[in-house]
Amino acid sequence: RRGGGVSVVALPPPSPAPAPTDDGLLKQRVHRRLVTEGVDDPSGDVDGLLAHFSGQDMALDAIRCGLEIHKAVAGVPTGEAELSVGIGIATGDVLVGSIGSVDRLDYTAIGPAVNLAARLCAVAEPGQILLDAETFTRVSGLVAATAMPPLVVRGLSAPVAVYAMFARDTTR
């Protein structure tokens, strides 16, 4: 268990089973690059479609990661289709480690913050980073974000406060 909480960045999954000539193949390659290169921070860790950060600046580090991902995506030539992703970031307690059975263990993170980040990612618009209230509270004086209408999230009994950031002019 990571004490003091963890900020989790959820990425959308790559296109499923693309044909070799399909834009989906390019998206898979870009996704793989983003997942492995998008976390360039000693407090960060990559787990499949998640990047998780710990430490005093975890929320800010997660946002930096999300902005770097948007910047990397904006710089990838995709032909006719524009490649863009939405990202969800949530902060809270998670369990990180080898999880599974004796036959198969996977290094992963589980917990409410992971689930919330994934839900935020699922509704984020292309180029958008959605933050939960805990993440926004930790960075409110450092980043510009707009309050969104509360979001009803599957698995939670009350609507969730959400804040939106957009990656603008990521080419500089």
Side-chain angles (χ1 to χ4, degrees):
R1 182 171 193 213
R2 291 253 178 118
V6 172
S7 289
V8 180
V9 179
L11 301 170
S15 302
T21 58
D22 192 306
D23 261 352
L25 185 59
L26 176 63
K27 288 179 183 179
Q28 276 192 343
R29 288 183 185 145
V30 170
H31 185 270
R32 198 169 315 129
R33 187 176 123 219
L34 293 176
V35 169
T36 57
E37 296 175 14
V39 180
D40 186 21
D41 185 292
S43 71
D45 220 343
V46 176
D47 168 27
L49 302 176
L50 300 173
H52 37 93
F53 296 85
S54 60
Q56 183 177 352
D57 293 330
M58 63 187 159
L60 196 54
D61 291 339
I63 290 169
R64 285 184 185 126
C65 176
L67 291 171
E68 284 300 315
I69 290 167
H70 282 302
K71 185 176 178 180
V73 168
V76 174
T78 59
E80 294 178 21
E82 183 179 324
L83 182 60
S84 187
V85 296
I87 295 172
I89 300 177
T91 299
D93 290 331
V94 300
L95 179 65
V96 179
S98 297
I99 297 172
S101 68
V102 175
D103 297 329
R104 180 183 168 109
L105 287 175
D106 289 315
Y107 178 79
T108 193
I110 60 173
V114 173
N115 295 337
L116 182 54
R119 302 283 190 257
L120 294 176
C121 178
V123 298
E125 297 175 15
Q128 187 178 52
I129 299 174
L130 293 181
L131 311 174
D132 75 333
E134 177 64 23
T135 303
F136 180 72
T137 298
R138 290 172 182 251
V139 298
S140 62
L142 304 172
V143 302
T146 304
M148 304 291 288
L151 184 66
V152 175
V153 177
R154 185 180 59 154
L156 296 178
S157 57
V160 175
V162 178
Y163 299 84
M165 297 177 60
F166 278 93
R168 292 191 178 102
D169 196 13
T170 56
T171 58
R172 290 187 188 173

